Amino acid sequence: MNFLKSILIFFKTIIYFMFDSLVFLKTYSKKQNKLELILLIRQDLIGDFILWLDTAKEYRSLYPRGKYKIVLVGNELWCNFAETFPYWDEVFPVNVNKFRTLSLYRFKILSQIADLDSKIAIQPTFSREYYNGDALIRASRAPKKISSNGNMVNRNRLKKIIADSWHSELIPASKKEITELERNAEFFSNLSNRKHKIRYPHLKIPNSWVSPKLKGKKFFVIAPGTSGTVDGREWPPQFFADLCQKIFKQTNLMGIICGTNREHPIAEIILNLSGIPLENFCGKTTLIELAGILKQSLLTISNDTGLIYISSAVGTPSICILGGGHFGRFLPFPNLSDQKKNINVVFNKMSCFGCNWKCIYTINEGDSAPCIANISVDDVWSKVNTILQKDLSSNLLDNNSP
């Protein structure tokens, strides 16, 4: 079976290479760009984007306005959100799922990227993907194509050999295990020859993002979903319901369940199981609206998901129920002595941590992986109670007491 899979991957790799090569058969007119065009290519999820913001802002100083135009080629899921930041001049959205298919859409996107006539194309992503970010780098036709040397999580040796040949420069990456925050800083420092001081992500939320419906209300947020790419990463709905009951009993705070449309059914289950005042906002907010809600929230509790990074970045005390698949890479954050760390993690350490979510245990459909299922309600409540007593004022608790 593994041999057959390897053969299929081999042919898929070659077929995509040949399909993408059709882009270079087109004739592209020489652009008379007033400014040198810089492409920043990121095709990963919202959590990766939030973590990258610490260094993303530095590209503007490296390529200043007046001489350079920066175009961010991003994942369509978060591009509207990305447009609110001043670090680039334009955002080019890509539907990642559609782009991964042999389709007219893929050909159209590759052709548009090629037609931009960029001078430098940069892909800071550590875990590069042959069919996405690497393909866009190739299509750019930029004289300078720069990516991280990266790891092998999303590619095999053949993909690495082919894709590496498309680059003019590969930025070396440390082989030691470091967090994604440190990895992003490492890439930028090696690219720019500037030492970059790591900082936790920070988002300043304008008043226009604050939800009028929730203005003046006191509430907490839970996010029961994950990115949806791996089964078994979700904490059980019954556990979330039990935790919500404990919070309500202690504080009388209402709760809001946030997430994507995919998590709406899970949120309904939690709402019905808990029997307390909860509202289901899953699938009903944009990322901008979500950021506003998280800023207004007194506390956020989430699975391992990009939402927890947004919550932390807007300054809200946040608790992440953390499994072992990528333990140490995305969370826990490193301790930075001069900064406040808003994310608290709850985990149950196992010898198999670092499995890249290729669980060694058999997981029945609908069940959680052991590293998630073994985190008890009391484990999470202990962290919640500490925050309630430490970060939330006694006046708040008095005002909300039953």
Side-chain angles (χ1 to χ4, degrees):
M1 181 62 71
N2 286 336
F3 176 74
L4 178 60
K5 183 178 179 181
S6 297
I7 293 296
L8 292 174
I9 291 174
F10 171 82
F11 281 109
K12 181 179 178 181
T13 302
I14 300 303
I15 289 169
Y16 270 75
F17 173 84
M18 295 173 65
F19 180 87
D20 293 354
S21 297
L22 296 175
V23 170
F24 300 105
L25 298 179
K26 292 182 63 177
T27 301
Y28 298 94
S29 59
K30 189 74 174 176
K31 298 283 186 181
Q32 297 299 318
N33 293 328
K34 294 181 180 179
L35 305 175
E36 288 192 35
L37 191 64
I38 311 296
L39 292 188
L40 291 179
I41 298 173
R42 287 220 71 122
Q43 293 290 287
D44 32 25
L45 297 175
I46 180 63
D48 305 282
F49 174 71
I50 296 296
L51 292 180
W52 179 57
L53 287 176
D54 170 52
T55 52
K57 64 182 185 296
E58 302 300 329
Y59 288 90
R60 182 78 279 175
S61 61
L62 188 62
Y63 302 108
R65 283 190 175 89
K67 185 177 180 181
Y68 299 96
K69 177 182 178 181
I70 299 178
V71 176
L72 173 64
V73 183
N75 188 325
E76 184 180 76
L77 294 175
W78 45 257
C79 277
N80 286 343
F81 189 60
E83 287 175 348
T84 66
F85 297 95
Y87 314 144
W88 26 78
D89 303 288
E90 185 180 325
V91 177
F92 185 109
V94 177
N95 184 313
V96 172
N97 291 331
K98 287 174 67 176
F99 184 71
R100 285 181 67 90
T101 62
L102 292 174
S103 61
L104 181 60
Y105 178 81
R106 182 180 180 88
F107 183 80
K108 178 182 175 182
I109 291 295
L110 292 173
S111 298
Q112 289 175 342
I113 292 296
D115 194 46
L116 290 174
D117 194 25
S118 57
K119 300 303 179 188
I120 304 174
I122 302 171
Q123 180 185 200
T125 307
F126 179 62
S127 295
R128 287 162 41 198
E129 292 202 28
Y130 175 86
Y131 303 110
N132 288 75
D134 281 342
L136 292 166
I137 278 277
R138 181 193 182 200
S140 72
R141 300 189 303 130
K144 289 186 178 181
K145 303 184 187 75
I146 306 168
S147 288
S148 169
N149 189 49
N151 62 10
M152 300 295 287
V153 169
N154 294 325
R155 54 190 178 151
N156 58 21
R157 184 168 176 78
L158 175 63
K159 292 176 182 175
K160 175 177 170 56
I161 291 172
I162 294 175
D164 283 0
S165 70
W166 298 334
H167 293 77
S168 61
E169 184 179 359
L170 292 171
I171 302 296
S174 170
K175 294 187 181 300
K176 67 179 181 179
E177 293 185 4
I178 58 178
T179 65
E180 198 73 357
L181 282 176
E182 294 165 303
R183 190 69 71 187
N184 290 330
E186 175 189 60
F187 178 88
F188 183 80
S189 295
N190 289 336
L191 171 71
S192 64
N193 292 317
R194 300 178 183 178
K195 184 69 175 177
H196 177 71
K197 180 181 179 181
I198 302 170
R199 301 196 67 83
Y200 301 134
H202 174 73
L203 297 176
K204 189 174 181 180
I205 301 299
N207 291 333
S208 60
W209 290 17
V210 173
S211 169
K213 180 182 177 182
L214 297 172
K215 197 168 184 179
K217 293 187 177 181
K218 296 169 183 175
F219 59 90
F220 66 94
V221 167
I222 64 167
T226 64
S227 62
T229 56
V230 180
D231 292 332
R233 288 174 61 176
E234 295 93 352
W235 206 43
Q238 182 66 64
F239 288 11
F240 269 112
D242 292 346
L243 181 65
C244 288
Q245 288 176 343
K246 283 179 174 287
I247 296 173
F248 181 71
K249 183 178 179 181
Q250 175 83 3
T251 67
N252 209 30
L253 289 171
M254 67 173 284
I256 292 177
I257 310 175
C258 290
T260 66
N261 224 13
R262 178 180 172 272
E263 281 95 51
H264 194 276
I266 301 173
E268 286 296 302
I269 293 172
I270 295 170
L271 191 152
N272 292 326
L273 287 172
S274 69
I276 67 165
L278 289 176
E279 290 193 44
N280 185 356
F281 278 34
C282 290
K284 299 179 181 179
T285 63
T286 64
L287 278 174
I288 289 174
E289 291 168 339
L290 175 62
I293 291 171
L294 293 172
K295 176 63 178 177
Q296 292 169 272
S297 176
L298 299 172
L299 171 69
T300 301
I301 305 148
S302 174
N303 278 312
D304 182 11
T305 174
L307 184 147
I308 204 73
Y309 302 123
I310 301 175
S311 176
S312 169
V314 300
T316 298
S318 308
I319 295 174
C320 181
I321 301 162
L322 184 64
H326 296 141
F327 189 86
R329 178 174 176 184
F330 299 97
L331 284 173
F333 279 166
N335 290 318
L336 303 177
S337 58
D338 59 338
Q339 299 174 52
K340 183 180 180 181
K341 182 163 57 174
N342 293 318
I343 295 185
N344 296 268
V345 295
V346 186
F347 58 90
N348 180 40
K349 193 69 182 282
M350 299 175 67
S351 60
C352 53
F353 268 34
C355 67
N356 197 35
W357 289 110
K358 296 176 182 176
C359 190
I360 63 174
Y361 298 97
T362 300
I363 305 173
N364 297 323
E365 186 176 352
D367 288 349
S368 304
C371 58
I372 294 290
N374 291 339
I375 299 173
S376 70
V377 174
D378 286 340
D379 290 336
V380 182
W381 170 247
S382 176
K383 291 281 187 183
V384 170
N385 198 36
T386 299
I387 290 176
L388 291 176
Q389 302 303 323
K390 179 181 177 182
D391 290 357
L392 304 185
S393 69
S394 58
N395 287 336
L396 169 66
L397 297 182
D398 289 343
N399 290 342
N400 288 279
S401 59

